[in-house]
Amino acid sequence: MGQPVVVFTDPEELDVEPGERLLRDAGFEVRVVGSRDPARIAAAAHDAEALIVGYAPVDAALLDRLPTVRMLATMSAGYDMVDTAEARRRGLWVSNLPHAATEDVAVHALAATLSLVRHLPHADATVRGGGWNTEFDGLPRRASELTLGLVGFGRIARAVARMAAPVFGRVAAFDPHADPAGWPPEVDRLGLDELVGRADVLSLHTPLTPQTHGLADEALLSRMRPGSFLVNVSRGELVDADALLRALDSGHLAGAALDVFPVEPPPADDPLRTHPRIQLSPHSAFLSDASQRAYVCAPAENVIAWHRTGRPLTPVVDPTLEGAVS
């Protein structure tokens, strides 16, 4: 038998060399496609045992062309790019990276939130344009008098809450799946409607699922407090972009901070990219010197563990369990 083959599909901005080195030292042949094109992935991975996936969709059609693949390791905490039901039906393992950039994304979300609250983008533009504080378009509100609302209360949102609690007057969250026994006492647990109506800043921290797709739609945005802010560092498809633009244009929302977009990168003429009340970052919340290494090494370690022991370190689909997606 030859070397087992593992394929990186689309690492994009990440340097995969540290992960490649781990895999080669473990006896794997490593190939890097550098594309989301299913034809290129299928050609490179025709004899592969495992895929390490960035954002490339892995659906039934692609899996039909990869008869030897038994393991799918994502390079992110999210795994919505993988058809997990199809993977489970075929008896494939799927793993993710639940811890690789928790601190980085949480810090980014809080930084974006405080930047909005303190009107820093407007302040920067004012000075660059030759103005001064007398030309401020509305005064910032004191953070200790505001409520930060978190939609979803997993690892990242909990890290945001810990950092934000000393700054904001109130931190509240909604998560129907979180264990009440482990809910921190300093964070108010609210229903979604109550949270949306009370938050001065609403920050999204939920995975993308059929149920959460378009979560921040016209109805939800209209229930937000006048003059409040929206922050999204999770998945672009959580937000109805047209509804957000209307809420900003009407003045109902004072601003938004987006690190993620429905199409990435957004087209040059996308209104999300040019709207003056949207603070932008290029899907970079997860990036740091530490996370960059983790995003290529941790999926490699998942593949190596699976190959050696029959089980990855952080599975989200376990084909040995009935209906197993955790």
Side-chain angles (χ1 to χ4, degrees):
M1 295 179 63
Q3 287 180 292
V5 175
V6 59
V7 172
F8 285 88
T9 60
D10 56 323
E12 299 199 355
E13 70 280 350
L14 297 173
D15 175 9
V16 299
E17 193 276 332
E20 287 185 87
R21 187 166 61 250
L22 283 175
L23 288 160
R24 290 196 178 102
D25 289 347
F28 285 88
E29 177 186 341
V30 183
R31 302 171 191 159
V32 181
V33 181
S35 173
R36 302 184 195 183
D37 180 359
R40 291 183 60 184
I41 294 170
H46 64 94
D47 58 347
E49 291 190 11
L51 290 186
I52 296 179
V53 183
Y55 300 111
V58 180
D59 55 14
L62 178 58
L63 291 172
D64 283 342
R65 304 169 72 175
L66 303 174
T68 60
V69 165
R70 309 308 302 162
M71 168 73 192
L72 304 167
T74 73
M75 302 173 74
S76 61
Y79 47 92
D80 49 278
M81 71 293 292
V82 175
D83 185 337
T84 52
E86 187 63 25
R88 185 172 61 252
R89 189 183 72 79
R90 295 171 187 248
L92 310 184
W93 287 90
V94 181
S95 66
N96 74 334
L97 305 184
H99 308 295
T102 297
E103 177 183 347
D104 305 292
V105 178
V107 168
H108 191 105
L110 181 58
T113 295
L114 293 174
S115 179
L116 287 174
V117 168
R118 293 299 309 164
H119 295 198
L120 294 187
H122 175 63
D124 178 86
T126 297
V127 178
R128 291 179 187 276
W132 204 239
N133 59 31
T134 54
E135 298 170 55
F136 258 31
D137 180 18
L139 292 176
R141 296 172 62 197
R142 183 170 290 174
S144 63
E145 298 176 356
L146 303 181
T147 294
L148 172 62
L150 306 169
V151 180
F153 202 52
R155 282 175 291 272
I156 292 171
R158 287 170 185 257
V160 174
R162 286 193 298 273
M163 292 184 287
V167 180
F168 283 85
R170 182 187 190 193
V171 178
F174 162 77
D175 192 328
H177 306 295
D179 182 1
W183 198 276
E186 65 273 15
V187 178
D188 293 338
R189 185 169 192 172
L190 303 178
L192 181 60
D193 286 344
E194 187 177 8
L195 179 72
V196 169
R198 292 190 179 188
D200 298 288
V201 183
L202 193 68
S203 189
L204 305 182
H205 298 278
T206 183
L208 180 63
T209 67
Q211 293 71 38
T212 62
H213 191 284
L215 172 70
D217 58 8
E218 193 92 44
L220 183 144
L221 296 175
S222 69
R223 296 197 303 274
M224 290 179 65
R225 299 187 68 179
S228 59
F229 300 98
L230 180 73
V231 176
N232 186 15
V233 298
S234 294
R235 284 289 188 263
E237 296 91 338
L238 296 175
V239 178
D240 180 330
D242 291 336
L244 174 61
L245 290 166
R246 285 192 292 271
L248 292 168
D249 287 338
S250 71
H252 179 67
L253 294 188
L258 304 179
D259 184 59
V260 288
F261 306 86
V263 177
E264 294 187 345
D269 60 351
D270 188 332
L272 292 176
R273 197 167 191 165
T274 58
H275 199 286
R277 292 191 178 185
I278 300 180
Q279 176 180 290
L280 305 173
S281 54
H283 201 149
S284 58
F286 69 96
L287 282 177
S288 70
D289 53 353
S291 71
Q292 188 153 18
R293 179 177 175 83
Y295 270 102
V296 296
C297 290
E301 290 164 353
N302 264 316
V303 171
I304 292 166
W306 164 78
H307 196 259
R308 289 176 174 170
T309 71
R311 182 181 181 84
L313 301 173
T314 53
V316 291
V317 174
D318 179 346
T320 68
L321 301 177
E322 182 67 27
V325 177
S326 58

